[in-house]
Amino acid sequence: MAWPYCAFVGFFLLGAVVSTAATDAEVDQRVEALLSRMTLDEKIGQMSQSDRLMTPFSDEVRQLIRQGRWGSLFNAGNPAERAEAQRIARTETRLGIPILFGRDVIHGYRTIFPIPLGQAATWDPDIVEQAGRTAAREASAEGIRWTFAPMIDIARDPRWGRIAESPGEDPYLASIFAAAMVRGFQGTSLADPSAIAACAKHFAGYGAAEAGRDYNSTWIAEILLRDVYLRPFHAAVDAGVASFMTSFNALNGVPSSGNEFLLRRILRDEWKFPGLVVSDYQSITEMTLHGYAADARDAAREAANAGVDMEMVSTAYFDHLKSLVSSGAVAGKTIDDAVRHILRLKFLLGLFDAPIPAAQTVTVTPESLAVAQKAATESVVLLKNDQNLLPLSDTVGSLAVIGPMADAPVDQLGTWTIDWRTEDVRTPLAELRQMLGNGRVLYAPGLKTSRDSSHDGFAAARDAADRADAAVLFLGEEQILSGEARSRAFLNLPGAQEELVEEVAKAGKPVVAVIMAGRPLTFHDTAARAGAILYAWHPGTMGGPAIADLLFGRAVPSGRLPVTFPRAVGQVPIYYAHLNTGRPASASELGIPMGTPAKPTGYTSKYIDVDVTPEYPFGYGLSYTNFTYENLRLSAPSVAMGGSLTISADIANRGRREGTEVVQLYIHDVVASVAQPVRLLKGFRRVALKPGEMRTVSFAIRTEDLAFYNQQMKLVTEPGRFEVWIAPDAEHGIKGEFVVK
Ligand code: NOJ
């Protein structure tokens, strides 16, 4: 349930939280009092947002602020300019309405955490919350009180560059992640000066862009929309997220910024969202290019009537709302409601009451770096470790450090980083030199960037590998290949990276590949040549120490894939929670090698030139120790509708090192009125186990947790048989069964 509804419910039903309810009522009173004094021009100003730079902070911009031209400014100015703009807004405008400063604080502010997809790979909501809290503290100290995060678009297509910003493919994991990010950004109260309002984006369906091409149309059947794409957004509302952002795409033919079904029926009527809705960047006027609005005026009418409270950057509201109101095409109440949402957030954030902030500049601190290092360490996924090649021994004489990502401070930060400083970033090369001493590290990048296709540096790289005891190759994607408008049709390691690996492998030394990328890549040949692979995403400021510690066993990998890794781009979209077909591939049809079409057999759902299974499944990740799963048991063989049951298993650490296992719970509704996915994640737990230690891990499942949308769009649990797994990933595990009566 969203704020302030929980407070009101508490007030009416329990009478126990009177003070919170009173605060909300007080806020509403202040909103109404202010609204009644505002002119239509002032209201429309509040509904307008700009990223107009305040550097130089011109007289024209000052004058526009005095006139109340913008309710919000984003990604604009430096702390001193923001403080000055706020002073003008508070003291020199007619009504003293403060500006809401927004920014894309996506995975850190000054301290950069792993990209969101990497944070999802931690399967650790606590560290995700801490990262959000740290980012909020830093951003708020520099005058930012609104972030355009979390991005919680379900992403099942690694061609889409923005998969980096997403929590991956699964609605359950994404929902947990969404709530953790909201808690982190907003803290316990928006009134806390270190809280920043979160923004659930992009509403909705943006991650399903056809062919993985950014901004492309999405066609999502309503059942799929509700059961998969909307679930994390609903979870964000339940967590009290303060705002929503629309998306660029047309959903089933209707652009999100004019989509009444999404913005009114689902968000306001069904979910009772009380917060602010902002458009995406120029997405209102882009509705003309979509072929949904005739011109900017028409677009303003569509957006306002659909329920977009604030327009980002384009000026359709500013230019046309006034005349749309006088002509009756947009009701005065529509404007008032939008302004209510905006003012309410400003009051809740305490912007009217707090002293005008002095300009200050934040720096990284030992605490912020510790959170960043922990998040980076937990995000790394060990994909392969033949013959326990990792961890490397401290006694290794010398180490060849090769590859374009070994010492690439900007690239290791990933997409959407604005406020970082180079001097804060610690690269793997710098860290390994510090750890081992300069003399033991033989550095030869081999390639200048990830896209470099020249072989000029190969000889030096090979020479380093020849002279060293082992080689670590830092491969992947540089920053600009990942993120918005960075869709790729090929998912291979770009440039001559595969050839570099081939050349280095010829030295015959143990080869470790560390891959830093914003998406799942296909790297089949490299995987075959390397003895061990660490997938490190774009790990952020502290990527270097995190990776060095993992390489040398000062930390043990515990990340798990939040997204399925394809063998080949032609398998995309590939995700674990697919439906079965009437003709699933048989076991004898698995294992088809990559490439050349095999002699076709059987009329089943498969490829003839690549195995139908993924390269690495969802939930997958190794450790430096090994875990066993035994003794699955259920508290009862059946459960009555409305009841719950407990599913347990014994997880043991059978190796020689301490490690953390991510124990996952999956279910399958065997027969239903709408066919259900072969597996669905319903729970997970990170469990730290000492060597030899065994722990019973239990999950409670209520029958309502098994609900899905039926053909009448009702969320229902149907009686019948359910399969259940407690598992290390989406393809394995120990299995049981229960019945819902
Ligand atoms: C466009 C992006 O889609 C959105 O995520 C971002 O917050 C805005 N630009 C503002 O930078």
Side-chain angles (χ1 to χ4, degrees), residues 74-75 104 148 162 201-202 245 248 280 312 416 484:
F74 78 100
N75 291 357
D104 286 288
F148 304 133
R162 297 196 85 169
K201 74 184 188 186
H202 307 83
M245 186 188 292
F248 283 125
D280 202 348
M312 186 186 280
W416 271 131
E484 186 174 344

Side-chain angles (χ1 to χ4, degrees), residues 399-605:
L399 188 69
V401 173
I402 296 169
M405 299 294 284
D407 194 32
V410 181
D411 295 324
Q412 79 179 48
L413 300 181
T415 182
W416 271 131
T417 46
I418 311 178
D419 298 282
W420 58 282
R421 303 276 187 285
T422 316
E423 67 264 24
D424 301 336
V425 183
R426 292 170 53 184
T427 68
L429 175 68
E431 208 57 29
L432 287 166
R433 279 183 170 149
Q434 194 175 323
M435 188 185 268
L436 302 177
N438 274 343
R440 288 166 70 198
V441 173
L442 310 177
Y443 174 54
L447 295 164
K448 291 196 184 77
T449 67
S450 71
R451 281 171 303 153
D452 184 359
S453 54
S454 146
H455 289 205
D456 292 353
F458 277 29
R462 170 69 192 273
D463 180 57
D466 282 337
R467 288 188 291 127
D469 297 320
V472 183
L473 280 135
F474 290 89
L475 309 165
E477 277 182 329
E478 62 210 83
Q479 185 190 51
I480 57 156
L481 299 184
S482 164
E484 186 174 344
R486 303 291 185 263
S487 296
R488 292 185 60 194
F490 299 93
L491 293 176
N492 55 309
L493 286 163
Q497 294 186 83
E498 291 273 7
E499 292 144 279
L500 178 64
V501 180
E502 189 181 354
E503 181 62 27
V504 169
K506 287 181 193 153
K509 304 292 171 59
V511 170
V512 178
V514 178
I515 300 180
M516 297 186 192
R519 50 160 70 81
L521 295 174
T522 55
F523 46 93
H524 198 76
D525 293 345
T526 289
R529 288 192 176 102
I533 301 170
L534 287 171
Y535 212 84
W537 317 102
H538 285 137
T541 305
M542 293 298 277
I547 292 168
D549 281 359
L550 288 165
L551 286 171
F552 283 90
R554 289 160 176 69
V556 175
S558 62
R560 299 292 183 266
L561 297 180
V563 61
T564 303
F565 274 44
R567 293 172 190 274
V569 69
Q571 290 178 304
V572 169
I574 181 170
Y575 50 92
Y576 84 93
H578 60 85
L579 302 190
N580 224 341
T581 65
R583 294 180 169 202
S586 69
S588 65
E589 289 167 313
L590 301 180
I592 294 175
M594 296 259 286
T596 314
K599 182 166 168 244
T601 58
Y603 287 84
T604 60
S605 185

Side-chain angles (χ1 to χ4, degrees), residues 100 145 190-192 195-197 344-351:
L100 178 53
R145 295 299 303 282
L190 285 175
D192 178 335
I196 60 177
R344 191 163 163 282
L345 181 55
K346 292 185 176 184
F347 278 115
L348 286 171
L349 286 165
L351 296 183

